Amino acid sequence: MIMINSTQVSYFTFGAYFNIGLFKYLFFIIIMCFYAVIISTNLLLIVVICMNRSLHEPMYLFLCSLFVNELYGSTGLFPFLLVQILSDIHTVSAPFCFLQIFCLYSYGAVEFWTLAIMSYDRYLAICYPLQYNTRMTSNKVAVLIALTWLFPFFAIAVPIFLSSSLQLCGNIIKKVYCDNYYVVKLACSDTRVNNIYGLINLCLIVFGPLSLIIYTYVMILKVCFSGSKQTRQKAVSTCTPHLASLLNFSFGCFFEIVQSRFDMSSVPMMLRIFLSLYFLTCQPIFNPLMYGLQMSKIRSLCKSLIFG
C-alpha cells in the first residue's frame, strides 16, 4: 500500500475549539468550580469510608474504589481542559495525547467493571443473605477490586499501542480532548487490526460487565417478587443509587459513541461538545452526590465530619 503524505505526527491540533472571546474566562471558572466540587466530594467520601471501621464492608469498599476512579478520570480531563480553554493555540504533543486517551478510556472501563462488581455484591447480599459473609470474604473483595483496575489497564494499553504506531495523514482531532477513534480516522495505513481489536475491547469492557449486571438484576428481581416486603425494601434502598449511576454513565457513553460514529455536523457545536464531555464530567459529580445522599450510613458520617 502506497503511503501519501503520511508521517508519524509529533503533535495534534483540536478542531472543536472556536473563538469565544472573553467568555473563555467564564467557561474556565465554571469548569474549575466543577473540578473543585468533584475533588472535594469524592475525597470526602473516600476519607469517610477509610476512617470509619463500620464502613469497612464490601459494598463500601467497592464504592471507595468507584470514588477513586472518579478522581482518576476527572484528573485526566479537567486540568488539560482548563489549559486549553485559556490557550490561543489548541495543540498537544502526541505522547501526552496518547496518555490522555489511556487515562480516559481506562477510566470508562474501570467504571463499567466496578459497577458490574457492585451489582454482583448486591446479588449475593439479597439472593444469598445467610451465605454472604462466606461468599464475599475480604480476600475476595481485594481480588475483585484489583481485577477491576488491572484488567482494564491491560485491555486499554493494546489499542493505544496500535494507534501510536499508525502512519497518519493529518493531525487535526475534531474534539476538545484526545480520542482514540479520531486518531485512527486520521490513519493512511491499514487499520483493520485496530478496528477488530476495538470491537473485541468493546465486548470485554462494555458488553461483558453489562451482561453480568443484567443477569444479577434479573436474579434480584426474581427474589424480590417472591420474597418478603423487607427484602424488597432492602433491594430498593441499596440498588437505586447503583442503577441510577449505571443509567447515567451508560447514557453518557451512548451519546459519545453515537457522536463518534455518525455525522453530527448539523448539530450545534456547543451541544456536540457538551455531549462528548457528559460522561466524563457528570458521572464524577453524580456518583458522590447520589451515594452520599441516598445511603444513610455515609450521609450521617459525612454530617458528623463536616459539622462536628
Side-chain angles (χ1 to χ4, degrees):
M1 185 177 176
I2 298 170
M3 303 289 182
I4 302 169
N5 296 328
S6 67
T7 181
Q8 201 73 35
V9 302
S10 58
Y11 70 93
F12 291 99
T13 301
F14 297 104
Y17 288 96
F18 54 94
N19 186 20
I20 52 173
L22 294 175
F23 279 108
K24 68 181 181 181
Y25 298 106
L26 174 63
F27 283 114
F28 179 86
I29 292 167
I30 291 169
I31 296 291
M32 191 167 65
C33 289
F34 244 83
Y35 187 42
V37 171
I38 288 168
I39 294 287
S40 56
T41 52
N42 282 284
L43 266 181
L44 171 66
L45 293 176
I46 291 166
V47 169
V48 166
I49 291 169
C50 291
M51 285 180 62
N52 292 276
R53 292 191 67 84
S54 63
L55 296 181
H56 291 182
E57 299 171 13
M59 179 172 64
Y60 297 108
L61 295 176
F62 292 134
L63 268 179
C64 191
S65 177
L66 191 72
F67 298 143
V68 170
N69 191 45
E70 306 306 352
L71 291 177
Y72 167 66
S74 53
T75 301
L77 174 72
F78 280 94
F80 171 84
L81 209 57
L82 290 168
V83 170
Q84 289 295 328
I85 286 170
L86 292 184
S87 177
D88 293 323
I89 304 167
H90 305 292
T91 61
V92 63
S93 67
F96 188 87
C97 189
F98 287 114
L99 175 63
Q100 186 181 48
I101 291 169
F102 177 79
C103 287
L104 300 184
Y105 275 55
S106 56
Y107 157 74
V110 171
E111 191 82 4
F112 267 122
W113 274 108
T114 303
L115 290 169
I117 296 303
M118 287 171 69
S119 72
Y120 172 67
D121 174 66
R122 292 301 81 210
Y123 159 71
L124 290 182
I126 293 163
C127 299
Y128 301 97
L130 300 178
Q131 302 166 41
Y132 177 75
N133 290 329
T134 55
R135 289 190 177 214
M136 189 59 77
T137 61
S138 56
N139 286 339
K140 191 173 183 179
V141 171
V143 168
L144 288 172
I145 290 173
L147 284 174
T148 58
W149 284 85
L150 294 175
F151 172 70
F153 273 38
F154 283 116
I156 295 300
V158 177
I160 305 301
F161 171 76
L162 291 172
S163 299
S164 64
S165 58
L166 286 172
Q167 293 293 320
L168 307 179
C169 286
N171 69 340
I172 298 175
I173 298 173
K174 295 179 179 178
K175 293 196 78 170
V176 293
Y177 59 88
C178 294
D179 186 301
N180 191 57
Y181 181 76
Y182 283 79
V183 172
V184 173
K185 284 207 296 188
L186 296 171
C188 302
S189 51
D190 187 11
T191 60
R192 274 179 295 181
V193 175
N194 300 69
N195 295 332
I196 290 166
Y197 193 82
L199 289 172
I200 293 169
N201 240 15
L202 190 68
C203 293
L204 292 172
I205 287 165
V206 178
F207 296 120
L210 280 179
S211 301
L212 176 61
I213 290 166
I214 291 166
Y215 171 77
T216 54
Y217 271 99
V218 167
M219 294 296 105
I220 288 169
L221 281 172
K222 276 187 178 180
V223 170
C224 288
F225 282 125
S226 60
S228 62
K229 186 181 177 182
Q230 189 181 359
T231 305
R232 285 194 291 273
Q233 285 175 339
K234 181 184 177 183
V236 168
S237 64
T238 59
C239 294
T240 300
H242 178 267
L243 269 177
S245 176
L246 175 68
L247 289 171
N248 183 62
F249 191 65
S250 298
F251 279 128
C253 291
F254 174 76
F255 290 145
E256 176 57 13
I257 291 167
V258 166
Q259 183 171 231
S260 299
R261 267 59 179 181
F262 297 99
D263 180 23
M264 301 283 282
S265 55
S266 58
V267 179
M269 179 63 78
M270 286 299 289
L271 181 58
R272 275 186 278 163
I273 293 171
F274 172 77
L275 292 177
S276 71
L277 288 171
Y278 183 85
F279 83 105
L280 293 166
T281 54
C282 290
Q283 188 73 356
I285 203 167
F286 180 86
N287 274 343
L289 291 176
M290 173 59 67
Y291 285 103
L293 293 172
Q294 284 288 325
M295 306 191 83
S296 55
K297 259 190 178 182
I298 293 180
R299 190 169 63 244
S300 59
L301 286 167
C302 283
K303 281 181 182 176
S304 63
L305 185 66
I306 295 169
F307 302 111

